[in-house]
Amino acid sequence: MAAAPDAMTRTPLDVPPRLAQASRPAGRAGWRRLAGAACLAASLCAAAGAAAAEPAAPPARIGQVAFIAGAATMRLDAGAPWQPAELNMPMAAHTALATGLASRAELRVGSSALWLAPASEVSLAEFDDSHLEAEIARGRVVLRVRALPAGDSVALTAEGARLVLNAAGAYRAEYEPRRHRLVVHVVEGRARLVLRNQDVLLNADQWATADLRTQAVVEQGSGDTRVPLDELAERRDRRDERSAALARLPAEMTGATALDGQGAWRDERGYGPVWTPDNLPPDWAPYRYGHWRWLPPWGWNWVDDATWGFAPSHYGRWVFLSGRWGWAPGLTAVAAATTRPVYAPALVGFYGSGEAGAWSPAATSAPVVGWYPLAPGEVYWPAYTAQLGYVRAVNAATVADAAQLRAWPEPNAAGPSHRYARTAFAATAVPEAAFRAMLPVAPRQLALPPAALAQAPLSGRR
């Protein structure tokens, strides 16, 4: 996984991410050269009888920085520099989160939560749709796993030791790298502490201390050993148990519980459950208050400013009804209880050529990048994969018309049928330089006249 791109150099906006990671020529001419070379190479391979394999689709689930108290940092890959942690930043495999001496943080993955005490660091060493392995580099963590389906695996690791969860529950681990000491406590549930020289079963309310130099347990017992981090975890855990959002949304939708207390639900004919946020700025529109971040394998991901902004930015669709924006997840009550939703980096349509391509309207003196939210029923065509199964899955909750999905791999360019493509109140545009630099959008948005939006080129894929 690559680090975030350098502004204006490493991620041309008109290059789909699946190609941009391999080669990132500057400007549209470079993209045309790359596209032509790719087509020629594909033709030669086909003639030789060796078809190139489509890269694997990204996993359906994602992690989220859900809470920060004090100073925290993160990195997007093992070789990437540390940077300030951001609320709502997506976390994929190989990303890491660290807290300062007087700070705490929470990482969410669906219905599971990992809390970091002060001076702690955790990385997602392995993370996909069925495996979650969090490696502790230092400090103390509490892990709450609400569901552990058959075939899924969850583990906390440190210096070769593995606490492998055998059941849903609450688990705590503390790792001191200087002393090579690991203490694990099964608060609720059941787990195995797997060492090179031992394999110890721990039931609820049992703990063990391991010397990681000898890879052996040196002390073991039972009883309450509560720490302050447990109290934070339990408070936020009780909030989840009372969640009104989870009555309408899948438990494994990352960020779902953050909607509680931040808006109101209502049922709308033709849309199903619709959630309307409270206390919005007068000029608010979806994907306007926040900023873009580059995160492979998806490419450009939206990071919303609102505490509730994760789930509505990456699942479902937005709809403008009765003078207000509402978020329509599109799931029936039955589907909500059984479906694992598929993460999307941003459910928008871009103006310009290719994904996040810039264009130069006559109303501005420099290239701009613009986008608009997709409405219910409108297909999200990702630029980072061409796998039809993935495209169907990422649209399953909101697109009922199967004929639209059968148009792959050559979907029609977004046209007048895209409800918000030509509406000034829904569209957002910023200077291309601000987009590339991943700066906050709202202070830099440009007012484009209706004529500019009417003539803006629309991308067929996002």
Side-chain angles (χ1 to χ4, degrees), residues 57 68 110 158 170 206 229 341 445:
I68 303 173
Q206 293 184 333
L229 187 64
Q445 65 174 319

Side-chain angles (χ1 to χ4, degrees), residues 62 90 291-296 298-303 314 343-346:
I62 191 73
H291 63 283
W292 295 93
R293 290 296 304 267
W294 180 270
L295 181 65
W298 298 275
W300 292 107
N301 289 249
W302 177 254
V303 181
H314 304 295
Y343 171 83

Side-chain angles (χ1 to χ4, degrees), residues 243-259:
S243 174
L246 293 187
R248 298 170 174 85
L249 302 173
E252 297 307 316
M253 178 181 285
T254 300
T257 57
L259 276 62

Side-chain angles (χ1 to χ4, degrees), residues 356-381:
W359 99 99
S360 299
T364 67
S365 58
V368 304
V369 176
W371 57 91
Y372 56 89
L374 295 177
E378 295 175 355
V379 179
Y380 168 71
W381 294 104

Side-chain angles (χ1 to χ4, degrees), residues 70-291:
T73 55
M74 63 184 304
R75 64 182 181 189
L76 301 183
D77 198 0
W82 288 93
Q83 55 191 284
E86 302 176 60
L87 187 69
N88 289 331
M89 182 67 185
M91 294 197 67
H94 312 299
T95 54
L97 183 64
T99 53
L101 293 176
S103 59
R104 295 169 298 178
E106 177 186 349
L107 165 62
R108 302 282 300 200
V109 179
S111 64
S112 298
L114 182 69
W115 292 276
L116 281 70
S120 301
E121 178 187 334
V122 171
S123 64
L124 298 180
E126 183 177 354
F127 182 36
D128 55 31
D129 288 341
S130 56
H131 305 286
L132 173 59
E133 182 175 301
E135 182 175 359
I136 310 170
R138 56 185 169 87
R140 178 186 293 137
V141 302
V142 171
L143 173 63
R144 159 64 76 173
V145 175
R146 287 193 169 274
L148 189 60
D152 282 14
S153 66
V154 179
L156 294 172
T157 69
E159 203 176 323
R162 295 169 54 84
L163 182 68
V164 180
L165 278 58
N166 292 341
Y171 303 84
R172 186 173 68 246
E174 182 175 358
Y175 172 48
E176 300 178 70
R178 291 185 178 181
R179 298 175 60 189
H180 304 278
R181 179 177 178 268
L182 176 67
V183 181
V184 296
H185 184 189
V186 178
V187 182
E188 300 173 20
R190 188 174 65 257
R192 289 168 43 229
L193 178 58
V194 181
L195 303 161
R196 187 169 59 246
N197 299 322
Q198 276 185 285
D199 190 332
V200 179
L201 178 64
L202 298 172
N203 294 311
D205 209 27
Q206 293 184 333
W207 56 269
T209 301
D211 185 334
L212 300 185
R213 288 168 295 198
T214 62
Q215 290 285 304
V217 171
V218 295
E219 192 175 8
Q220 192 172 351
S222 61
D224 189 6
T225 60
R226 290 174 59 83
V227 297
L229 187 64
D230 291 321
E231 298 176 3
L232 170 66
E234 288 177 4
R235 285 199 304 270
R236 293 181 67 82
D237 201 40
R238 286 193 296 269
R239 182 201 67 177
D240 291 356
E241 291 174 352
R242 300 189 299 267
S243 174
L246 293 187
R248 298 170 174 85
L249 302 173
E252 297 307 316
M253 178 181 285
T254 300
T257 57
L259 276 62
D260 291 322
Q262 303 296 320
W265 288 94
R266 67 184 188 275
D267 290 326
E268 291 283 350
R269 185 176 180 180
Y271 299 105
V274 174
W275 180 80
T276 303
D278 294 334
N279 304 318
L280 296 177
D283 67 336
W284 190 91
Y287 307 99
R288 181 173 294 170
Y289 280 78
H291 63 283

